[in-house]
């Protein structure tokens, strides 16, 4: 579980995946949407909601549990690992199920690892999941509007 959870730390696996996709012409837009979605999740989830809710982590409350990973220093709600994983998995599923299915499996494993490792409550995971679904599904229509705007602007030039 520590290895799985570290894959999601700072969204690193998803950021790397996005950069690989950006290098492939067919999937370039998908990679850009992933980065935009994760950036949106970072702002809303990690910078705003975590500090607004200010929920203690389970490992802060019960310090008798032997930790397998270092104790996180930021607040618990929502789970940033779950948030970034869900956003990425949704965008990948929308783009190509062959990319999306492994992403969904990895996202579920990462989310579960956060509870298993005693750094999140189930509701933290649920919060990250719901917000991740909202942001992930929002990226496609937002991208379509941006794309339409740019095409209209280019046509009028």
């Amino acid at each position: 579980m520590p290895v799985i959870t570290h894959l999601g730390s700072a969204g690193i696996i998803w950021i790397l995946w996005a950069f690989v996709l950006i290098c492939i012409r067919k999937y370039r837009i998908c990679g850009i949407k992933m980065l935009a979605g994760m950036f949106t999740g970072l702002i809303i989830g990690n910078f705003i909601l975590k500090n607004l809710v200010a929920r203690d982590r389970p490992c802060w409350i019960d310090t008798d549990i032997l930790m397998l990973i270092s104790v996180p220093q930021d607040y618990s709600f929502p789970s940033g690992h779950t948030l970034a994983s869900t956003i990425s998995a949704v965008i990948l599923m929308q783009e190509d199920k062959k990319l999306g299915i492994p992403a969904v499996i990895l996202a579920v494993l990462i989310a579960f690892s956060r509870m298993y490792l005693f750094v999140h409550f189930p509701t933290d995971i649920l919060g990250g999941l719901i917000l991740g679904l909202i942001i992930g599904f929002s990226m496609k229509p937002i991208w379509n509007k941006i794309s339409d705007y740019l095409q209209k602007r280019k046509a009028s030039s």
Side-chain angles (χ1 to χ4, degrees):
M1 284 298 151
V3 171
I4 291 169
T5 214
H6 285 304
L7 288 174
S9 294
I12 194 68
I13 191 69
W14 307 112
I15 292 168
L16 291 173
W17 200 336
F19 277 116
V20 168
L21 293 176
I22 288 170
C23 294
I24 303 168
R25 185 176 189 89
K26 177 181 176 183
Y27 295 110
R28 187 164 294 142
I29 300 304
C30 180
I32 292 168
K33 285 191 283 189
M34 283 176 66
L35 291 176
M38 286 186 285
F39 182 73
T40 303
L42 178 70
I43 300 298
I44 295 171
N46 287 40
F47 294 157
I48 297 173
L49 284 177
K50 276 188 189 274
N51 293 306
L52 190 64
V53 175
R55 182 182 200 180
D56 287 349
R57 291 180 177 271
C59 56
W60 296 356
I61 296 166
D62 185 354
T63 57
D64 293 336
I65 303 295
L66 177 65
M67 297 300 292
L68 299 176
I69 60 171
S70 59
V71 175
Q73 301 303 307
D74 61 341
Y75 290 114
S76 186
F77 183 89
S79 167
H81 283 68
T82 303
L83 178 57
S85 298
T86 303
I87 291 167
S88 298
V90 166
I91 291 168
L92 288 164
M93 278 297 284
Q94 288 178 330
E95 183 68 30
D96 185 337
K97 288 194 182 0
K98 289 179 184 175
L99 296 174
I101 290 171
V104 168
I105 293 167
L106 181 57
V108 168
L109 289 171
I110 289 172
F112 178 76
S113 76
R114 303 305 287 168
M115 287 187 298
Y116 179 88
L117 294 168
F118 203 57
V119 293
H120 281 294
F121 294 105
T123 50
D124 300 335
I125 303 302
L126 183 62
L129 174 69
I130 292 169
L131 184 57
L133 289 169
I134 292 167
I135 293 170
F137 281 114
S138 297
M139 287 297 108
K140 187 173 185 174
I142 289 170
W143 178 261
N144 289 341
K145 286 185 182 208
I146 291 169
S147 181
D148 289 347
Y149 170 78
L150 292 174
Q151 286 179 358
K152 286 177 187 175
R153 190 164 177 196
K154 185 177 178 182
S156 67
S157 296

